[in-house]
Amino acid sequence: MRKSVLLPLILLVAMVASGVGYGVLDAYNLVPGILTLENESVDMPETVEISLTDAGNKEVIGINEHAAKITAAQVQPLMQQLVAQAQNGLPPNPDSNDPAAKMPVATGSRVGAIVIDTASGKTLGQVNADQLMTPASSSKIVAAATALKTLGPDYRFTTSTHLAGEKLFLRGNGDQLLSAGSGNPAATAGHAGLADLAAQTTQKLKDKKTTTVQLFLDESAFGDQNPLANWQAQGNDNYETKPTPIAINNGLANPELSYGYLPDPGLSAAEQFAARLKDQGIKVGQIQRGATPNDARKIGEVKSAPLHEVMHETLKESNNMLAEVLCRASAAKAGTGTNFSGEIKIAQKVLNDLKLEGAAFANHDCSGLSTENQIKPQLLAALMQQAARGDDPQLRPLVASLPIGALDGTLHDRYLQANGAGNVRAKTGSLQNSRALTGLVTTKSGRTLTFCVIVDSFKEGTGTIARGAIDNFVNGLAGL
């Protein structure tokens, strides 16, 4: 993409003058590093050789190994403060007129945390890092890694049509970001369009002098689509729906909102596709559901943006249903079962293949929505460490897709005017009884640290204390 020279220079000077973190400059591609906010779709060759390290230089690209090292003695007081604040709230304020502000709050919280020097891999501090805890949406980094390793960063989800006589099958394969109209090749959401698929399909039908079809919706690629029982028990209908392999705009009822789903996203997509066919003169009977027969002939297809861009959407905004897509599509390819159990099996296999403890991912889903999910903080930190080190090029997009403190995604309103602004890149997590943050932080000295913090089991109404304790801890790391 071409850029003018003047604007980046002005932005660079302004950001440096205002003390904005290096991570922000990196994100805008104004300085070297591992982050980017650019979101272009580029057709890549099937085989791409990527070298992230020079054979003669073992430094990790994007990590300053020459920055002053952070010691365990520096981290330990922050770790102690984290536990104290998570369990008792912020220190009492003697100057406040509010009696409640002068009293500690017993939250009942359990705290798990670990900090690793990213360059050396040395653990600088930990508390309960080997305990199974409720990770909430920090689970999504496992979903991302699972898809990157199983499908590959450049994989694209295909939505296709298949003809058998006068029976037309609309087959979904995982694209929940379809456009009802024409696709936009420069976008991630709406990259592929049902109007384009309808145009291809209509041409083939007319070539065969077929003007009437019976349309079948084929969602068989994702198998069992019943929502997890625990999701329904929580009453989180606004934040989940069934994991369908085909949907327009993620299946959301209102395109302006990031929550609230249609009752049947797959059927709604099929209805839009039928309408596009009718616009072009094809008569369509009542839509039915059915698997595509083996003898049906493919007559049209559209492809999503590359997986690494879909993952970007997933992690930045903590998209629950896209996280399930990443694991469900991986399970389908690996043959571990197109259901929630199959998702967990392929995720554990990927973790084991990475020489990590697969059993420490004791989840029931990949989005982190279930309150019954359990993960060890040290597993999440170890996975983030592998992605950050760059030894495995397939995992590299994970780091660039993390929200950035005070800048974007689910961290856009955190670390404002603080040390962590632009220097924290991490996956958030929030459930009724859990708050979590997993990612990377760059210290004032320029050293990169890998961390995971989970606070769970707290009393109702004390979630803000848990989040505040986490933010104070990570901001403290950024200030070292």
Side-chain angles (χ1 to χ4, degrees):
M1 177 180 292
R2 296 185 63 185
K3 297 182 177 74
S4 67
V5 176
L6 182 58
L7 180 58
L9 286 176
I10 293 173
L11 184 58
L12 175 61
V13 172
M15 284 181 164
V16 171
S18 61
V20 172
Y22 186 93
V24 176
L25 303 178
D26 180 6
Y28 281 100
N29 292 334
L30 298 178
V31 295
I34 58 179
L35 304 176
T36 183
L37 287 179
E38 290 193 12
N39 197 16
E40 286 188 84
S41 298
V42 180
D43 289 324
M44 301 290 288
E46 290 186 4
T47 302
V48 181
E49 186 171 330
I50 303 174
S51 178
L52 291 173
T53 57
D54 185 337
N57 179 8
K58 297 304 182 182
E59 284 194 11
V60 181
I61 302 301
I63 295 176
N64 182 0
E65 297 194 12
H66 300 295
K69 293 182 179 180
I70 303 301
T71 66
Q74 290 174 284
V75 172
Q76 191 59 33
L78 295 174
M79 197 75 74
Q80 293 170 345
Q81 174 185 284
L82 166 66
V83 175
Q85 290 187 359
Q87 295 180 343
N88 302 297
L90 297 176
N93 181 4
D95 298 325
S96 175
N97 293 323
D98 182 0
K102 298 182 180 181
M103 298 291 293
V105 178
T107 65
S109 293
R110 184 173 58 148
V111 180
I114 184 170
V115 177
I116 302 169
D117 178 67
T118 310
S120 68
K122 179 181 179 182
T123 298
L124 301 178
Q126 67 89 24
V127 57
N128 297 326
D130 60 348
Q131 300 298 305
L132 288 169
M133 303 184 71
T134 305
S137 285
S138 271
S139 299
K140 290 183 174 72
I141 68 169
V142 176
T146 298
L148 288 171
K149 294 298 295 179
T150 306
L151 303 173
D154 297 314
Y155 177 85
R156 295 173 186 260
F157 298 103
T158 301
T159 305
S160 54
T161 52
H162 305 255
L163 188 64
E166 291 189 351
K167 294 181 178 180
L168 179 65
F169 294 83
L170 173 63
R171 180 173 174 81
N173 191 47
D175 192 351
Q176 287 196 1
L177 298 177
L178 288 163
S179 165
S182 298
N184 180 355
T188 302
H191 184 90
L194 289 177
D196 298 328
L197 181 59
Q200 291 180 37
T201 303
T202 297
Q203 185 59 54
K204 293 292 186 179
L205 290 173
K206 289 183 176 179
D207 288 347
K208 294 177 64 65
K209 313 235 183 271
T210 299
T211 57
T212 301
V213 295
Q214 177 63 56
L215 182 62
F216 290 82
L217 171 62
D218 182 357
E219 299 175 283
S220 60
F222 274 15
D224 179 10
Q225 294 180 47
N226 290 316
L228 203 65
N230 180 266
W231 294 359
Q232 297 174 313
Q234 294 178 65
N236 281 341
D237 293 347
N238 274 336
Y239 299 98
E240 50 87 3
T241 186
K242 63 180 186 176
T244 175
I246 178 172
I248 296 168
N249 191 39
N250 204 206
L252 293 166
N254 185 338
E256 301 301 319
L257 299 177
S258 60
Y259 57 89
Y261 290 88
L262 294 165
D264 193 337
L267 182 59
S268 295
E271 290 171 344
Q272 288 293 324
F273 178 68
R276 303 290 85 75
L277 289 176
K278 292 174 183 176
D279 289 343
Q280 300 187 55
I282 302 297
K283 295 179 181 179
V284 182
Q286 185 175 0
I287 300 170
Q288 300 181 38
R289 281 185 159 93
T292 304
N294 293 333
D295 61 350
R297 185 169 63 90
K298 183 190 292 186
I299 59 173
E301 69 174 21
V302 289
K303 292 181 178 291
S304 73
L307 183 136
H308 67 85
E309 293 186 15
V310 176
M311 187 187 69
H312 188 90
E313 294 274 327
T314 306
L315 297 184
K316 285 288 186 183
E317 301 300 334
S318 199
N319 190 304
N320 293 315
M321 300 323 299
L322 289 184
E324 299 300 338
V325 164
L326 295 179
C327 281
R328 188 64 63 97
S330 299
K333 180 176 181 180
T336 56
T338 49
N339 48 38
F340 286 105
S341 176
E343 292 182 19
I344 303 308
K345 287 178 183 176
I346 184 56
Q348 290 176 335
K349 179 184 183 302
V350 166
L351 292 170
N352 287 330
D353 289 347
L354 291 170
K355 310 302 181 187
L356 301 175
E357 186 184 2
F361 180 66
N363 266 26
H364 295 264
D365 61 34
C366 280
S367 60
L369 269 174
S370 174
T371 57
E372 297 174 343
N373 288 339
Q374 298 279 283
I375 298 181
K376 293 181 182 180
Q378 65 187 17
L379 170 64
L380 291 176
L383 179 57
M384 183 58 61
Q385 176 75 1
Q386 286 207 18
R389 287 285 306 175
D391 298 327
D392 188 333
Q394 285 185 305
L395 293 179
R396 200 61 169 170
L398 196 159
V399 175
S401 297
L402 294 171
I404 302 173
L407 181 64
D408 67 8
T410 52
L411 284 181
H412 76 277
D413 59 350
R414 293 167 71 170
Y415 306 105
L416 299 172
Q417 306 298 317
N419 293 326
N423 290 315
V424 176
R425 315 92 158 117
K427 183 67 205 73
T428 53
S430 180
L431 278 176
Q432 290 92 326
N433 67 337
S434 176
R435 299 291 186 274
L437 196 65
T438 303
L440 305 169
V441 57
T442 302
T443 69
K444 277 189 175 180
S445 67
R447 199 78 180 180
T448 301
L449 305 177
T450 306
F451 69 89
C452 174
V453 190
I454 300 176
V455 179
D456 69 6
S457 304
F458 47 74
K459 294 178 181 178
E460 184 177 354
T462 61
T464 55
I465 292 176
R467 172 173 147 167
I470 292 173
D471 283 353
N472 287 342
F473 173 67
V474 176
N475 198 58
L477 293 175
L480 295 177

